[in-house]
Amino acid sequence: MNTILVTGALGQIGAELVPALRTRYGDDRVVASDIRIAPRERLGRNGPFEIVDCTDSHQLQAVVRKYRIDTIYHLAALLSAVSEQKPQVAWEVNVGGLYKVLEVARQERCAVFVPSSIGAFGPSTPREKTPQDTIQRPTTMYGVTKVTAELLCDYYYHRFGVDARGLRFPGLISYVAPPGGGTTDYAVEIFYAAIRYGRYTCFLKGDTQLDMMYMPDAINAAMQLMEADPKKLLHRNAFNVTAMQFTPEVLAQELRHHLPHFTLDYEIDPVRQAIADSWPRSLDDSAARSEWGWQPRYDLPAMVRDMLSKLRTKAETH
Ligand code: NAD
Ligand code: AKB
């Protein structure tokens, strides 16, 4: 029976992963944790919540022992744009924190889920249909930490037998919690602005194509990988996964099917544009499909339809 700790649980992914894990395994078997205090209406209500700084091994170990944790979903990290603003902190949290988590997992015999990102690739990586195994020379601190994290997870599996698994997520689109400071955040902000103001000013150029995924698919992917038969996993860690590719212009066109007067203009942020220009335009996720049956449910039209409907319901109930 799984007893799970989620670090960074108050972020964009954790806000939806924790309820999904609690539905599957039971409220008391999923301990949400973050360096911040949970807002009253959020995760603490239906199950345990603990303050845990992932860079503090004593805090990690105490919680793992207190609840007899056997699986850690390690979400605590700084995203790409914030990592460029604070590269030293990004290294400390993204690499230092992961190292502490893997050490506790080794000592307490836990499995670990670690999300990587399309940010683990760089300008010398093939940008179209980026293969599972290819050149990884990222030029951002976020990317440097993600490649390091992928290597550390592989090392802990091969050297110590820690069952560390992971996915390279594309940009994630969701309506429960706001994104935490990434390059793909425009693809979430645009929905709030479209509904509220009928217009959005985008910080990436209109023809910047990136891989994207709707959050329900991302949550399913993480849980499905952690439940996958280990004998079938040739890679185990850092699987490419994707669901759709679009540019800001293409997303705006799709939004106009529902909001015909929506307008999009641009104020380019050179830092985030440079990050986006160094990332793949599309991923090849055939290894995930063949090794553990990955298949997304939402394409662009289905995602846009569902986002607009969920955000309208959210606006009516607040
Ligand atoms: P987020 O920024 O929304 O949330 C991260 C959470 O970590 C925050 O709640 C923050 O308070 C917490 N945190 C920060 N420092 C901490 C520390 N020292 N100890 C404990 N908690 C700390 O991030 P997210 O979008 O939920 O992403 C989670 C993971 O998924 C990250 O590894 C990220 O790189 C990866 N990822 C996310 C996306 C995406 O589009 N959201 C895409 C690819 C990969
Ligand atoms: C970011 O833009 O930093 C994240 C990611 C793709 O890793 N959304």
Side-chain angles (χ1 to χ4, degrees):
M1 186 85 171
N2 291 79
T3 310
I4 296 167
L5 172 67
V6 181
T7 71
L10 296 179
Q12 190 191 2
I13 298 178
E16 299 189 49
L17 179 64
V18 169
L21 289 169
R22 285 183 174 160
T23 300
R24 183 158 187 83
Y25 300 107
D27 290 348
D28 294 340
R29 304 204 81 92
V30 180
V31 182
S33 75
D34 204 289
I35 199 168
R36 306 183 267 148
I37 295 170
R40 224 174 229 233
E41 71 281 9
R42 289 273 296 279
L43 306 164
R45 197 180 46 186
N46 298 323
F49 179 85
E50 297 275 350
I51 295 285
V52 177
D53 176 351
C54 70
T55 64
D56 182 333
S57 12
H58 297 295
Q59 281 184 19
L60 276 168
Q61 190 154 45
V63 169
V64 165
R65 287 186 176 167
K66 176 176 168 187
Y67 292 95
R68 297 170 186 271
I69 298 294
D70 58 36
T71 305
I72 304 173
Y73 282 74
H74 177 48
L75 305 182
L78 268 53
L79 297 193
S80 57
V82 180
S83 293
E84 276 322 286
Q85 285 161 5
K86 307 178 201 169
Q88 296 83 358
V89 184
W91 179 266
E92 199 67 32
V93 176
N94 294 12
V95 178
L98 172 65
Y99 171 69
K100 301 279 168 56
V101 166
L102 287 170
E103 266 301 291
V104 169
R106 177 181 70 79
Q107 289 158 24
E108 307 295 329
R109 297 175 187 280
C110 301
V112 190
F113 172 79
V114 182
S116 189
S117 160
I118 50 172
F121 298 114
S124 51
T125 303
R127 292 192 75 203
E128 302 285 352
K129 285 268 164 212
T130 300
Q132 174 66 41
D133 302 305
T134 185
I135 301 163
Q136 289 184 267
R137 304 285 294 174
T139 45
T140 63
M141 179 48 98
Y142 183 62
V144 170
T145 67
K146 288 297 176 193
V147 175
T148 309
E150 292 182 4
L151 293 171
L152 262 183
C153 287
D154 279 344
Y155 180 81
Y156 268 73
Y157 170 64
H158 290 297
R159 178 75 171 79
F160 302 118
V162 173
D163 187 2
R165 305 184 187 188
L167 304 168
R168 292 185 186 126
F169 280 134
L172 300 180
I173 298 144
S174 68
Y175 57 87
V176 175
T183 304
T184 59
D185 292 12
Y186 90 84
V188 178
E189 293 169 5
I190 196 170
F191 284 91
Y192 287 88
I195 289 174
R196 236 175 257 164
Y197 311 117
R199 57 182 299 276
Y200 177 66
T201 302
C202 186
F203 56 78
L204 294 183
K205 291 180 193 160
D207 61 355
T208 309
Q209 182 181 305
L210 292 168
D211 269 277
M212 299 280 178
M213 186 182 291
Y214 195 31
M215 191 61 87
D217 277 331
I219 301 299
N220 282 342
M223 291 168 60
Q224 198 184 335
L225 174 62
M226 290 308 280
E227 289 181 354
D229 179 353
K231 290 197 282 295
K232 296 196 173 143
L233 299 182
L234 303 176
H235 287 87
R236 186 172 286 266
N237 172 35
F239 281 99
N240 284 1
V241 282
T242 184
M244 62 189 92
Q245 297 81 34
F246 57 74
T247 65
E249 273 305 331
V250 168
L251 178 55
Q253 274 164 28
E254 191 60 41
L255 275 164
R256 282 188 202 108
H257 292 146
H258 305 266
L259 304 162
H261 303 297
F262 173 69
T263 60
L264 181 62
D265 58 20
Y266 298 94
E267 211 170 286
I268 306 306
D269 170 4
V271 174
R272 283 179 287 186
Q273 185 65 50
I275 295 174
D277 289 342
S278 76
W279 286 357
R281 285 166 51 82
S282 64
L283 293 185
D284 172 358
D285 60 2
S286 50
R289 287 173 188 262
S290 69
E291 290 179 39
W292 49 276
W294 158 246
Q295 212 171 1
R297 283 175 43 226
Y298 289 87
D299 60 8
L300 176 61
M303 178 276 286
V304 169
R305 216 171 25 248
D306 201 61
M307 272 293 280
L308 288 173
S309 129
K310 293 295 189 332
L311 283 174
R312 283 179 177 134
T313 309
K314 197 175 166 183
E316 281 162 19
T317 52
H318 280 77

